[in-house]
Amino acid sequence: MLPKPEPFVQPDMIFSVTDASQLLKKVVETAFPEIRIRGELSQITHATSGHLYMTIKDANAAINAIIWRGTPVNLKLEEGIEVVITGHFTTYPARSNYQIIISSIEMAGVGAILKMLEERKQKLAAEGLFDASRKKPLPRFPQTIGVVTSPTGAAFQDIQNRLRERFPVHVLLYPATVQGATAAAEVAAGIEYFNRMNNVDVIIVARGGGALEDLLPFSEEVVVRAAAASHIPLISGVGHEPDWMLIDFAADVRAPTPTGAAEMVVPTKISLVQELDNLSHRLTTAFTNRLVNLKRGLSTVNIKSPKQVLMEQSQRLDDIARTMNIIIDKKLQYIHQRIELVSRFPTILENKLLQLNQSVNHMGQMLNSMSYKNVLQRGYAIVRDKNNDIISTISAQPVSIEFADGVIKL
């Protein structure tokens, strides 16, 4: 427990409100010239003046805090994150309250940082920024490589050295700070610059190793979104092998180190020579096998002499001639048959007419034999009325009687 300070104001002293407020202000500022407090941020307010107002709290208490405009802040302030602030206490007499003026602020331990990163990761993953379908393949032989990093850092030198060793290419540097309050914005601006200019084949975002807090700019949303939106293939080479930043999930390829990024983006001269040798060997083998197969095929071909070819063609013509003769003979035979049939047509027609005359005479004889005239000659007569109809009863009035030799009118 902290020791209880001794009172220095006597009971009989009387102060004005202003004097009492000023005295309290001096006591607080003298007693707490600098203090470090750990707690959770809440009620963060960005004033138009540029100052930041907030509350730092734990389960049992809360303290008002202020960050004056211009005070460097190396992390993104969000409600709910646990931090350690450094500052000094003061009072605000106009409202009769006390507050702490913050001079620096940092995340409260690795656990808090990892929790914040995990929550941010889940949020960005839900938006699809880390989907495998967004990943783009790296170019096989890039002509120009864009690097976003500090021009004075070891990462850029490592990349250049490794590229010179493996496969020298043109390198464009976008200088950006890789630590501090402005790092995230500068790195994002570098990615956007190369995409806007479209002057490189691949982008490397690089930084050497460091504490987790130092690498936090590469997990800021502005950097992650810029990497995910890049239409140029992007390699993340931030930190060392165990370090994982959120840009690694949005990048098309994650390299364990800046040097590893350089190794991924270009092949080695030796590997290219070996690959060319392998291709040459494969082509030679394929060509040799092709020649062998052609030779085998030619050996099985029976090449005929010109005389044999002519004889075969002559035989083919003889076959065609015989076939044509057979066809022509059949056609002529058919024509002869048709001509013979036509020549016999008058005889056939005459016989046909004779048969028709005989039929007509026969039918005439039948008609005569069936005529009623023959009946009249046997003594019969036909009685008719005025309409010339035959009368067969006594009820009708007869007007004529026909006999075999004539008609009598009544």
Side-chain angles (χ1 to χ4, degrees):
M1 180 177 291
L2 296 175
K4 183 179 179 180
E6 293 293 332
F8 63 91
V9 176
Q10 301 301 320
D12 57 346
M13 293 181 179
I14 300 176
F15 298 91
S16 68
V17 174
T18 301
D19 291 340
S21 297
Q22 292 297 327
L23 178 60
L24 180 60
K25 183 179 179 68
K26 290 180 180 180
V27 170
V28 171
E29 291 177 352
T30 302
F32 302 97
E34 185 175 87
I35 187 171
R36 288 170 61 83
I37 301 175
R38 178 171 180 164
E40 180 183 310
L41 293 182
S42 66
Q43 300 179 359
I44 300 174
T45 303
H46 296 259
T48 55
S49 61
H51 307 320
L52 290 174
Y53 297 90
M54 65 201 71
T55 299
I56 184 168
K57 65 178 183 177
D58 57 19
N60 301 313
I63 300 174
N64 292 332
I66 303 174
I67 300 178
W68 297 129
R69 182 181 60 189
T71 302
V73 178
N74 297 330
L75 56 90
K76 184 177 181 180
L77 301 183
E78 298 177 347
E79 294 193 11
I81 64 171
E82 191 175 9
V83 297
V84 175
I85 62 174
T86 301
H88 65 275
F89 271 113
T90 185
T91 64
Y92 184 49
R95 294 183 182 172
S96 299
N97 60 3
Y98 67 92
Q99 57 198 16
I100 184 170
I101 307 300
I102 298 174
S103 57
S104 65
I105 184 169
E106 60 191 55
M107 296 294 293
V110 174
I113 297 177
L114 294 177
K115 179 183 177 182
M116 179 269 292
L117 291 179
E118 182 60 29
E119 292 175 351
R120 187 177 296 169
K121 176 184 175 184
Q122 293 179 3
K123 171 190 172 184
L124 297 177
E127 297 181 25
L129 300 186
F130 304 152
D131 291 351
S133 59
R134 300 172 62 96
K135 307 298 181 182
K136 298 174 288 296
L138 299 181
R140 185 73 175 89
F141 299 104
Q143 301 296 314
T144 305
I145 298 174
V147 180
V148 180
T149 190
S150 170
T152 59
F156 185 54
Q157 298 302 322
D158 292 342
I159 291 174
Q160 285 187 306
N161 293 336
R162 189 49 57 93
L163 290 177
R164 279 194 294 266
E165 294 171 1
R166 293 172 65 87
F167 193 86
V169 293
H170 186 51
V171 177
L172 294 180
L173 171 68
Y174 185 93
T177 56
V178 292
Q179 183 175 338
T182 62
E186 293 183 26
V187 171
I191 298 173
E192 293 166 355
Y193 165 78
F194 285 128
N195 278 271
R196 184 172 62 255
M197 300 302 294
N198 199 29
N199 54 355
V200 296
D201 301 308
V202 64
I203 300 171
I204 297 177
V205 178
R207 185 200 190 282
L212 182 59
E213 294 87 346
D214 298 333
L215 300 177
L216 282 178
F218 296 92
S219 291
E220 293 290 346
E221 283 193 29
V222 63
V223 173
V224 176
R225 294 186 185 278
S230 175
H231 68 267
I232 299 174
L234 186 142
I235 302 176
S236 171
V238 178
H240 293 148
E241 175 64 34
D243 300 324
W244 278 90
M245 294 294 103
L246 295 186
I247 189 177
D248 296 331
F249 298 97
D252 297 299
V253 178
R254 185 252 180 183
T257 61
T259 302
E263 293 174 352
M264 288 181 176
V265 78
V266 294
T268 63
K269 296 177 183 178
I270 295 177
S271 66
L272 286 177
V273 172
Q274 292 176 345
E275 187 174 345
L276 288 174
D277 289 341
N278 292 334
L279 287 174
S280 176
H281 176 71
R282 290 168 59 188
L283 286 173
T284 302
T285 303
F287 186 70
T288 302
N289 293 336
R290 183 65 174 170
L291 288 177
V292 171
N293 292 333
L294 289 174
K295 184 177 180 181
R296 290 174 181 173
L298 288 174
S299 64
T300 61
V301 175
N302 184 15
I303 300 177
K304 301 177 182 178
S305 65
K307 182 178 180 180
Q308 183 179 357
V309 173
L310 289 174
M311 295 299 292
E312 290 179 356
Q313 293 297 328
S314 177
Q315 183 180 1
R316 185 175 293 108
L317 289 174
D318 290 341
D319 292 339
I320 294 173
R322 283 194 297 270
T323 303
M324 292 298 295
N325 289 334
I326 293 172
I327 294 174
I328 292 172
D329 289 342
K330 288 184 178 181
K331 287 291 185 181
L332 291 174
Q333 184 179 1
Y334 175 75
I335 292 172
H336 289 156
Q337 292 174 351
R338 298 294 295 177
I339 292 174
E340 183 180 358
L341 181 63
V342 171
S343 64
R344 293 168 54 192
F345 183 74
T347 303
I348 296 173
L349 182 59
E350 183 179 352
N351 293 335
K352 194 68 175 175
L353 289 174
L354 181 60
Q355 292 177 0
L356 290 175
N357 287 332
Q358 292 175 352
S359 297
V360 169
N361 292 332
H362 178 67
M363 292 178 67
Q365 293 174 359
M366 291 181 65
L367 286 174
N368 288 330
S369 65
M370 296 177 64
S371 175
Y372 75 96
K373 297 281 188 183
N374 295 329
V375 177
L376 292 179
Q377 289 179 357
R378 293 200 296 269
Y380 291 96
I382 297 174
V383 182
R384 302 179 186 275
D385 59 13
K386 61 180 179 179
N387 294 325
N388 203 33
D389 292 332
I390 297 174
I391 298 172
S392 59
T393 62
I394 61 174
S395 60
Q397 180 65 39
V399 295
S400 66
I401 299 174
E402 182 180 356
F403 296 95
D405 56 352
V407 177
I408 297 176
K409 299 289 186 180
L410 300 178

